[in-house]
Amino acid sequence: MTTPDLAAIRQEAVDALGSAPTGAELRAAASAALGKRSPLAEAHRQLGSLDPDARKEAGRRLAEVRAELEALAERRGQELAAAERAAELDADRLDLTEVIPDAVPDRMGRGHHHPVSVTRRALEDTFVAMGFVVAEGPEIETDWYNFGALNMPPAHPARGMWDTFYLDLGEPESTVLRTHTSPVQIHLMEQALATGSLPIHAVMPGRCYRRDTPDARHLAVFHQIEGLVVDRSVTFADLAGTIETFTTAYFGSDIHARLRPAYFPFTEPSAEFEITCTLCRGAGCRTCSQTGWIELGGCGMVDPAVFDAVGIDSEEWQGFAFGFGIDRCVQMRHQIADMRLLTENDIRFARQF
Ligand code: FA5
């Protein structure tokens, strides 16, 4: 082989190896330049036809070129592997900063209340405007407040309506994370009796806990707002009127409420109240299980057994109570298809409120 031939073979291989854009193409170029069918291998096979001195010299030059090309292929392989790894890392990178200062200057560095808190305040305001006061009660309750005083003695089957978290405190199953805000009714009635401050017109918002599997309409930790009126001459019509007034004031006049007979141990008669599903406007959708209605809460006339439990004379006083989901209200007010979005802390979701 002549020197110009070898120089041309070398140059072609150097160009191909040095510019291979991917690992796969580098392997193909290396096989073409250094493999059994490469011009270099062919030149090596022809060495035998040369006289001994020329063979020695040509063999040395071929070995030099092969070593150079092998080193080049190795180097290029390392470069490509590093570039591919960097591209992979870049694609995997999570931008945790999220805030784009120029796009949202007024939100820069400032948080805002969660939609559940905003809704809780709006609901409180709506009821305060209707003449209610706002009260609160504990999230950890004894069995008595969560169940017993609400006309559910131990082993009462209605306890099964609430899948309860029990705390490992005191006697087994004596302390619970409250499953509803209804126990606050009992605290308020006890306080009113102790301070001589009957009648009661109060709403009681707060967090509740149930062993419910989260889905589009349920969370394990959620919020309710309880309402309690204890006065003389209170009727079911007052309860229905209060719910109607609230629904219109809060959701707007195109959203209707309806009451359906239901059972709660602490009210008699009892009802569930539902509003038109705001996502489908009553047509039926996934969120309302195709019914066009969403259950907001329960209500009814305070059962005399509850008055007896706290020592209020049920001949003199009557009352009504209601309790409904604040998270459900957020969902209906803002047409959120899945309630779980409220707890996922996705800034793109939270920023919309
Ligand atoms: C009660 O909790 C009764 N204490 C309501 C009541 C109060 C009746 C006063 C009578 C008098 P219920 O289990 O149906 O009832 O819950 C009321 C509302 O809380 C539901 O309609 C729903 O809006 C909300 N809610 C209940 N469970 C969940 C949950 N896991 N996730 C989100 N919201 C819930």
Side-chain angles (χ1 to χ4, degrees), residues 270-317:
S270 303
E272 255 166 19
F273 64 99
E274 299 178 319
I275 60 162
T276 320
C277 175
T278 59
L279 280 109
C280 61
R281 303 263 145 194
C285 66
R286 185 174 71 87
T287 304
C288 63
S289 306
Q290 312 303 330
T291 61
W293 294 92
I294 286 274
E295 179 201 312
L296 216 54
C299 61
M301 302 305 291
V302 178
D303 193 302
V306 175
F307 283 141
D308 289 348
V310 287
I312 290 182
D313 180 357
S314 59
E315 295 293 322
E316 186 184 354
W317 301 95

Side-chain angles (χ1 to χ4, degrees), residues 22 71 130 167 278 337 345 352:
T22 64
M130 289 164 65
L167 293 183
T278 59
N345 280 339
Q352 298 174 58

Side-chain angles (χ1 to χ4, degrees), residues 162 180 182 210 212 218-219 224 226 295-298 323 325 328:
W162 295 278
H180 50 177
S182 297
R210 288 188 199 174
D212 281 348
H218 295 91
L219 298 172
Q224 285 186 340
E226 190 84 7
E295 179 201 312
L296 216 54
R328 272 302 152 80

Side-chain angles (χ1 to χ4, degrees), residues 191-213:
Q191 278 162 23
L193 263 188
T195 56
S197 55
L198 282 170
I200 299 170
H201 300 85
V203 286
M204 303 140 254
R207 201 174 285 140
C208 306
Y209 305 81
R210 288 188 199 174
R211 294 195 301 124
D212 281 348
T213 306

